[in-house]
C-alpha cells in the first residue's frame, strides 16, 4: 500500500468510526452551540475502542481485542447511536451544518499535518523508538494490557491506552506500526485543534453571538496548538538576522528547557513543539482528550434546569460518559487525571445547582465512580513507576490501593525557585490576558454586593502571598498566588456561570498547578522535579490557552464600543498571535532544514523508510516486515538488546511488536521503578542475550520463551557502525556477536524461515 492509498484508507476508517458514533455525541452535547460537532470525532474514537478494550482486559479468552470485536463494535454502536439520535430528534439542518464544518476542518488539518510530516517521517531520536514499540505492541495485542515488546514475558506497565485507538485503526486497515505512527500523529493533531476550537466556541456561544464564538474558538486553537512561548518569540526578534538559519536544537529546544529541575533540567514543553518533535508520547496522545474532558465539563455545567430534564434520572448517561472521558486520562497519561476530575466535579456542582441535595450527591458519586470503574482493567494491572521516599508517612500510605505508591513518593523540592523571567517567558501571552480580565472584572464587579469580612480575608491572603514571595524569595507566590486570591475575591462577588468565571476557573487551576513543583515532586527514576514540571506545566498550558481565548472574547465584547480600547486590544492580540505563531513557523522551517535539507523530497508516512535508504541498514526493513506479518503472538525473538536511547538497539522489536528479551533498559527500569530487584533482572536479561548468541541452550531459551533468532546488520556489525555510541556492558548487548557471521549458527534444532539478498536471516526453533 503506497503512501497515498494508506493515508486515504486511514482517514476513511476514522471517518467510518465517526459516522457510527457521532450521533451519540450529538445526543450527549445537544445543548451546546455546535451540538457537539467539534467533539464528535474525538469521543467517537474512545467509544469505538472502549468495549473491546474493557472486555479483553477482563475476559480476554471470551472477547479478544481483534478486528472482529472492533467491527462488531462499529456495527452495534452505529445502529444504537443512530437509533437514539433519530429518536431524540437531534439530526436537523443546523446540526448537519456544524458537523459538515467540523468534518471539513478535520480533513484540512489532517492533510496539512501529513504534508508536513511527510518531509520527515523518520521514527528516530528522542522517545520515538519507545513510542513505536508501544504502538507496535498494542497492534499485536489480543488482550490488555499488551505484551511489552522490550521485556519478553511481561506486559506493559505504563499508561498505554492513548495508543489503543490508533492501534485499532492500524489493524482495521492492515497497515504497519511505522505507518500508523505518523498517521496517528496527524489524527491527534487534527483532533486537538478541533476540540480546542470547540471548547472555547461553545463556552462563548452559550452567552454571545456565533461570530464571537467562532473567534474565541480560533483563538483557542492558536493558543493551544499553533503558538510557541514568549521566550521563543522574543529570541527570534533578538536574533532576527540569523534566526531563519539557526539550528533547531539551538532555538526551539531551549524554549522547552527553561527551568532548573536537577539533572536533566526540567521539561517545559508545549504543543507546537510536541507536534514538530513528533514523539507519539502519552502527554501528546492524551492532549485531545484533556480538551474533550473540558468539553464534557462544560456539558455538565450547562445541564438543563427544567423540571423533567433537570434530574439525575434524566442526566445519568451524560454524567457517566463525562466520568468515563475524564477517567480515560488516568489510563492515557495518569498525571492529567486529578486536575481534570476536579474540573468535572466543579462543573457538575454548577450544573446541578438547582437539584436536591441527595440527587447532587448521587450525581457526584456516579461521576467519580464511573471515572474509575470504566477503566478498572488498567487500575488492576498498573503499578505506579515511583519510588517511596522512605519516611514514616510514606511507609504508612504505601499500601493504599491505587494512590499509595504516588503518595509515598512525594518529596520536598529544595532547588532553585522559578523566576519572573522564566515564568513569563513560558506563559506570558496568557498571563497578560489573565491580568487584563482580572482587572476588568475588578472594575466591573466593584459595586456588587459582597461580604466585607470575606473580602478582607481574601485580600489578606493576597498580601500574604506577596509578602511570602518577597521574603522566601519565591516569585511564583506573587505571580501565581496573588491572581488566585483575586480570582477568589471576584467569585465572592459573582459566582454565576458566565464566561469570565469559566476563564477564571481555568486560570486559577493553571496557576495552582504551576505552584506545586515549587514545593514538591514525585520520586521517579530521575529523582528531581523534571517530570512534575513537565506534566503539570503541560496541563497549565492548555488551561491558560483556553482561558486566554475565552478571556479575550469577553474583553472584546466589553470594549468593542470604545474605539481606542478595541484598537489596543486588537493590536495586543495580533502581536501575541504573530509572535507565537511566527516562532512556530521558524521552528518548523528549522526542523525540516535540519532533518532533511533537500525539502523537495516528500518521503511519505512510513517511519522506517530510512532503513531502505541507508546501506548500513541493508535488509533490516524486510526482516522487520516479515516478523510483523508472520510471527505469532507467543513468539519471542533473540536480537541485540539492552542499552538506552539508541537509534538501533531495540528497533527490531519496536518495528514489529514481537517481544525481545530486553529493549531500552533505562526505559524499562523507569516503567518498573516500583518493582524491587528490577535492576538485577536487567543485568540477568543482558547476560542472557550475550550467552544465547554464544550458545543457544534449551534451558535459557525456555526461560525467556525464545522461538526466533534475528540476524541483521546490528547483530553482525554492532551498534557503533550506525553511529550509536553504545558499548557492551552488563546492561547493554549491542553486538556484534561473532556467531551472527557464522553460517553454521544456530545449528541443529533451528530452521531458516526468512532470508534476503542483503544477508538478513531469521531462524525458527523447531517445534515452536
Amino acid at each position: 500500500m503506497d503512501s497515498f492509498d494508506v493515508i486515504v484508507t486511514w482517514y476513511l476508517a476514522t471517518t467510518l468510526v465517526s459516522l457510527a458514533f457521532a450521533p451519540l455525541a450529538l445526543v450527549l452535547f445537544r445543548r451546546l452551540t455546535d451540538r457537539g460537532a467539534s467533539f464528535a470525532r474525538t469521543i467517537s474514537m474512545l467509544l469505538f475502542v472502549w468495549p473491546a478494550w474493557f472486555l479483553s482486559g477482563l475476559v480476554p479468552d471470551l472477547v479478544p481485542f481483534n478486528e472482529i470485536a472492533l467491527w462488531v463494535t462499529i456495527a452495534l454502536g452505529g445502529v444504537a447511536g443512530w437509533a437514539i439520535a433519530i429518536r431524540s430528534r437531534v439530526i436537523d439542518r443546523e446540526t448537519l451544518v456544524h458537523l459538515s464544518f467540523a468534518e471539513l476542518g478535520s480533513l484540512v488539518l489532517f492533510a496539512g499535518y501529513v504534508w508536513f510530516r511527510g518531509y520527515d517521517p523518520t521514527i528516530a531520536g528522542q522517545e520515538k523508538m519507545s513510542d513505536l514499540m508501544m504502538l507496535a505492541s498494542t497492534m499485536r495485542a489480543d488482550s490488555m494490557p499488551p505484551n511489552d515488546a522490550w521485556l519478553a514475558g511481561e506486559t506493559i506497565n505504563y499508561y498505554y491506552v492513548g495508543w489503543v485507538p490508533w492501534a485499532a485503526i492500524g489493524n482495521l486497515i492492515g497497515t504497519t506500526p511505522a505507518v500508523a505512527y505518523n498517521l496517528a500523529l496527524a489524527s491527534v493533531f487534527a483532533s486537538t485543534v478541533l476540540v480546542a476550537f470547540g471548547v472555547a466556541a461553545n463556552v462563548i456561544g452559550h452567552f454571545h453571538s456565533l461570530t464571537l464564538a467562532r473567534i474565541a474558538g480560533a483563538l483557542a486553537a492558536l493558543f493551544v496548538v499553533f503558538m510557541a512561548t514568549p521566550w521563543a518569540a522574543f529570541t527570534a526578534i533578538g536574533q532576527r538576522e540569523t534566526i531563519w538559519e539557526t539550528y533547531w536544537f539551538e532555538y526551539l529546544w531551549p524554549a522547552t528547557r527553561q527551568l532548573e529541575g536537577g539533572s536533566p533540567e526540567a521539561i517545559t514543553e508545549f504543543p507546537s513543539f510536541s507536534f514538530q518533535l513528533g514523539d507519539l508520547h502519552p502527554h501528546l496522545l492524551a492532549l485531545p482528550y484533556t480538551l474533550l474532558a473540558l468539553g464534557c465539563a462544560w456539558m455538565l455545567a450547562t445541564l438543563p434546569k427544567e423540571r423533567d430534564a433537570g434530574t439525575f434520572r434524566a442526566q445519568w448517561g451524560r454524567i457517566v460518559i463525562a466520568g468515563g472521558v475524564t477517567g480515560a486520562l488516568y489510563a492515557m497519561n495518569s498525571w492529567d487525571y486529578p486536575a481534570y476530575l476536579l474540573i468535572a466535579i466543579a462543573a457538575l456542582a454548577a450544573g446541578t445547582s438547582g437539584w436536591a441535595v441527595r440527587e447532587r450527591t448521587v450525581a457526584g458519586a456516579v461521576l467519580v465512580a464511573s471515572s474509575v470503574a470504566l477503566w478498572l482493567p488498567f487500575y488492576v494491572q498498573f503499578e505506579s513507576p515511583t519510588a517511596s521516599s522512605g519516611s514514616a508517612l510514606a511507609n504508612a500510605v504505601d499500601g493504599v490501593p491505587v494512590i499509595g505508591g504516588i503518595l509515598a513518593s512525594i518529596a520536598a523540592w529544595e532547588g532553585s525557585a522559578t523566576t519572573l523571567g522564566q515564568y513569563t517567558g513560558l506563559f506570558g501571552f496568557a498571563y497578560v490576558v489573565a491580568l487584563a480580565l482580572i482587572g476588568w472584572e475588578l472594575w466591573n464587579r466593584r459595586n456588587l454586593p459582597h461580604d466585607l469580612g470575606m473580602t478582607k480575608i481574601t485580600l489578606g491572603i493576597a498580601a500574604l502571598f506577596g509578602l511570602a514571595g518577597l521574603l522566601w524569595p519565591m516569585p511564583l507566590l506573587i505571580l501565581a498566588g496573588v491572581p488566585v486570591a483575586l480570582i477568589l475575591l471576584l467569585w465572592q462577588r459573582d459566582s454565576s456561570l458566565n464566561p469570565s468565571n469559566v476563564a477564571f476557573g481555568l486560570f486559577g487551576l493553571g496557576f495552582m498547578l504551576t505552584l506545586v513543583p515549587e514545593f514538591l515532586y514525585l520520586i521517579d527514576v530521575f529523582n528531581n522535579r523534571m517530570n512534575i514540571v513537565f506534566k503539570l506545566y503541560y496541563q497549565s498550558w492548555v488551561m491558560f490557552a483556553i482561558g486566554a481565548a475565552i478571556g479575550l472574547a469577553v474583553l472584546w465584547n466589553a470594549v468593542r464600543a470604545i474605539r481606542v480600547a478595541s484598537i489596543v486590544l486588537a493590536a495586543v492580540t495580533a502581536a501575541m498571535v504573530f509572535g507565537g505563531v511566527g516562532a512556530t513557523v521558524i521552528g518548523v522551517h528549522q526542523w525540516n532544514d535540519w532533518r532533511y535539507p533537500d525539502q523537495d523530497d516528500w518521503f511519505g508516512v512510513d517511519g522506517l523508510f530510512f532503513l531502505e535508504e541507508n546501506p548500513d541498514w541493508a535488509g533490516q526493513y524486510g526482516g522487520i516486515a516479515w516478523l510483523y506479518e508472520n510471527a505469532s503472538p507467543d513468539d519471542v525473538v533473540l536480537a541485540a538488546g539492552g542499552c538506552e536511547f539508541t537509534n538501533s538497539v531495540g528497533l527490531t522489536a519496536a518495528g514489529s511488536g514481537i517481544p525481545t528479551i530486553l529493549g531500552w533498559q533505562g526505559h524499562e527500569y523507569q516503567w518498573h521503578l516500583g518493582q524491587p530487584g528490577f535492576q538485577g533482572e536487567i543485568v540477568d536479561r543482558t547476560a542472557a542475550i550475550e550467552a544465547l548468541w554464544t550458545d543457544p541452550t534449551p534451558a535459557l531459551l525456555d526461560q525467556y520463551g525464545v522461538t526466533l533468532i534475528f540476524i541483521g546488520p546490528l547483530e553482525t556489525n554492532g551498534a557503533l557502525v550506525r553511529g550509536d555510541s553504545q558499548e557492551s556492558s552488563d546492561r547493554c548487548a549491542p553486538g556484534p556477536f561473532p556467531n551472527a557471521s557464522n553460517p553454521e549458527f544456530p545449528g541443529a534444532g533451528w530452521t531458516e524461515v526468512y532470508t534476503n539478498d542483503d544477508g538478513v536471516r531469521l531462524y525458527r526453533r523447531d517445534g515452536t
Side-chain angles (χ1 to χ4, degrees):
M1 193 180 292
D2 62 29
S3 283
F4 180 77
D5 288 345
V6 74
I7 291 166
V8 172
T9 306
W10 176 282
Y11 196 79
L12 289 176
T14 60
T15 302
L16 176 63
V17 170
S18 181
L19 184 65
F21 292 97
L24 284 175
L26 300 177
V27 173
L28 285 170
F29 300 110
R30 65 186 304 173
R31 293 178 61 86
L32 303 191
T33 301
D34 74 348
R35 311 297 192 268
S38 54
F39 306 148
R41 269 188 172 264
T42 304
I43 198 170
S44 291
M45 291 302 301
L46 203 58
L47 295 171
F48 157 55
V49 297
W50 180 81
W53 174 87
F54 186 84
L55 293 172
S56 68
L58 289 181
V59 286
D61 293 334
L62 183 63
V63 182
F65 189 83
N66 59 20
E67 289 88 340
I68 295 175
L70 294 170
W71 282 119
V72 169
T73 303
I74 291 174
L76 295 180
V79 170
W82 278 97
I84 294 171
I86 292 170
R87 182 180 177 184
S88 302
R89 298 179 180 178
V90 297
I91 309 295
D92 56 24
R93 183 179 180 278
E94 185 177 1
T95 299
L96 292 175
V97 169
H98 284 302
L99 202 56
S100 297
F101 275 113
E103 285 299 313
L104 179 61
S106 176
L107 176 59
V108 171
L109 291 163
F110 176 84
Y113 190 85
V114 167
W115 170 80
F116 159 71
R117 187 69 185 164
Y119 286 103
D120 176 30
T122 307
I123 302 174
Q126 286 75 51
E127 302 279 359
K128 294 178 184 62
M129 188 85 77
S130 66
D131 297 333
L132 176 63
M133 183 278 291
M134 290 286 183
L135 179 62
S137 295
T138 309
M139 289 178 71
R140 300 283 313 187
D142 55 13
S143 63
M144 295 292 159
N147 290 326
D148 188 336
W150 278 355
L151 198 69
E154 302 292 337
T155 55
I156 290 173
N157 186 60
Y158 198 46
Y159 12 88
Y160 66 87
V161 169
W163 285 284
V164 173
W166 313 117
I169 294 295
N171 284 339
L172 286 186
I173 70 171
T175 193
T176 64
V179 170
Y181 181 105
N182 285 311
L183 293 176
L185 276 171
S187 293
V188 171
F189 174 79
S191 290
T192 301
V193 176
L194 203 59
V195 181
F197 178 96
V199 172
N202 279 302
V203 171
I204 293 300
H206 190 77
F207 303 96
H208 300 294
S209 69
L210 187 58
T211 299
L212 188 60
R214 287 170 175 163
I215 292 172
L219 287 170
L222 290 169
F223 272 84
V224 173
V225 180
F226 292 99
M227 289 173 62
T229 63
W231 181 92
F234 283 109
T235 298
I237 294 170
Q239 301 176 12
R240 56 190 173 276
E241 299 295 332
T242 59
I243 193 65
W244 194 249
E245 305 304 327
T246 298
Y247 181 37
W248 187 84
F249 264 97
E250 294 176 357
Y251 172 57
L252 216 54
W253 182 270
T256 67
R257 300 297 188 275
Q258 290 290 295
L259 302 189
E260 193 270 315
S263 180
E265 64 275 355
I267 299 173
T268 53
E269 192 169 321
F270 46 91
S272 76
F273 171 92
S274 304
F275 284 114
Q276 289 176 55
L277 186 66
D279 285 1
L280 194 64
H281 216 52
H283 66 283
L284 191 62
L285 288 163
L287 183 57
Y289 292 97
T290 63
L291 292 158
L292 180 63
L294 292 180
C296 288
W298 183 241
M299 173 188 71
L300 294 178
T302 55
L303 287 175
K305 306 297 184 185
E306 297 85 0
R307 180 183 299 273
D308 293 332
T311 64
F312 175 75
R313 182 177 180 181
Q315 301 301 330
W316 69 268
R318 288 184 172 86
I319 295 169
V320 169
I321 294 294
V325 169
T326 306
L329 298 177
Y330 188 80
M332 289 183 175
N333 187 36
S334 300
W335 292 83
D336 291 332
Y337 174 65
Y340 287 95
L341 180 63
L342 182 62
I343 290 173
I345 292 171
L348 182 64
T352 59
S353 58
W355 294 15
V357 173
R358 179 178 177 277
E359 284 209 324
R360 297 185 79 188
T361 303
V362 171
V366 168
L367 176 73
V368 175
S370 61
S371 75
V372 175
L374 293 178
W375 302 99
L376 194 59
F378 181 83
Y379 281 91
V380 170
Q381 297 288 340
F382 180 63
E383 182 174 346
S384 177
T386 54
S388 173
S389 66
S391 67
L393 178 61
N395 293 334
V397 301
D398 200 15
V400 176
V402 181
I403 62 172
I406 297 172
L407 295 176
S409 70
I410 296 175
W413 171 247
E414 299 175 351
S416 301
T418 303
T419 67
L420 168 65
Q422 290 170 335
Y423 196 71
T424 55
L426 290 168
F427 300 121
F429 292 141
Y431 195 79
V432 168
V433 180
L435 293 186
L437 186 63
I438 289 171
W440 162 251
E441 289 295 349
L442 283 172
W443 172 261
N444 194 38
R445 303 182 190 186
R446 67 191 185 282
N447 294 322
L448 292 180
H450 58 279
D451 186 321
L452 186 59
M454 289 301 299
T455 298
K456 291 180 179 179
I457 291 173
T458 307
L459 290 174
I461 293 172
L464 187 62
F465 274 132
L467 184 62
L470 290 171
L471 296 178
W472 196 298
M474 184 178 286
L476 253 62
L477 285 174
I478 302 171
L479 295 171
V482 172
V484 168
L486 294 177
I487 287 170
L488 292 175
L489 178 67
L490 289 166
W491 277 347
Q492 289 172 24
R493 300 191 173 204
D494 180 6
S495 59
S496 65
L497 186 65
N498 60 62
S500 290
N501 281 346
V502 172
F504 286 148
L506 294 170
F507 282 135
L509 185 53
F511 285 135
M512 288 189 287
L513 288 173
T514 59
L515 271 170
V516 172
E518 299 298 296
F519 298 97
L520 54 87
Y521 68 97
L522 301 186
I523 300 173
D524 57 13
V525 71
F526 305 105
N527 196 25
N528 60 41
R529 73 169 184 166
M530 180 198 78
N531 223 19
I532 195 169
V533 167
F534 176 25
K535 300 297 187 178
L536 297 190
Y537 273 48
Y538 211 77
Q539 294 173 40
S540 296
W541 179 279
V542 171
M543 294 175 192
F544 286 153
I546 299 296
I550 295 170
L552 285 170
V554 170
L555 292 170
W556 175 257
N557 187 67
V559 306
R560 62 182 177 177
I562 307 172
R563 183 174 176 80
V564 174
S566 60
I567 291 173
V568 170
L569 180 60
V572 171
T573 303
M576 290 191 296
V577 170
F578 180 80
V581 174
T584 296
V585 170
I586 292 169
V588 168
H589 167 77
Q590 291 175 346
W591 174 268
N592 278 346
D593 196 47
W594 160 49
R595 300 283 284 198
Y596 284 95
D598 184 8
Q599 294 177 29
D600 291 333
D601 292 332
W602 193 81
F603 297 99
V605 293
D606 190 338
L608 295 183
F609 85 96
F610 67 94
L611 296 179
E612 295 187 294
E613 301 277 323
N614 189 339
D616 288 338
W617 280 112
Q620 181 80 13
Y621 188 95
I624 290 175
W626 186 92
L627 276 175
Y628 184 73
E629 293 170 4
N630 295 281
S632 73
D634 298 324
D635 279 326
V636 173
V637 61
L638 174 63
C643 313
E644 177 66 3
F645 269 123
T646 106
N647 289 325
S648 54
V649 181
L651 177 59
T652 301
S656 66
I658 306 302
T660 190
I661 294 174
L662 182 64
W664 285 4
Q665 58 85 18
H667 276 62
E668 288 294 347
Y669 177 56
Q670 179 182 348
W671 300 331
H672 296 83
L673 186 62
Q675 299 180 16
F678 192 77
Q679 289 267 34
E681 183 171 347
I682 289 173
V683 173
D684 290 345
R685 285 176 177 257
T686 305
I689 293 170
E690 296 281 7
L692 286 170
W693 279 105
T694 301
D695 182 15
T697 59
L700 201 52
L701 291 169
D702 291 342
Q703 181 178 344
Y704 294 102
V706 174
T707 56
L708 293 164
I709 293 177
F710 187 99
I711 300 177
L714 182 61
E715 289 72 25
T716 304
N717 302 316
L720 290 174
V721 174
R722 262 144 301 285
D724 279 334
S725 57
Q726 300 285 337
E727 296 182 358
S728 182
S729 70
D730 64 353
R731 300 168 197 274
C732 183
F737 307 107
N739 268 338
S741 301
N742 180 359
E744 302 300 320
F745 183 82
W750 295 84
T751 300
E752 186 177 84
V753 291
Y754 174 82
T755 185
N756 60 36
D757 294 339
D758 295 305
V760 171
R761 292 169 288 147
L762 271 147
Y763 295 88
R764 176 172 289 282
R765 190 179 179 191
D766 292 346
T768 63

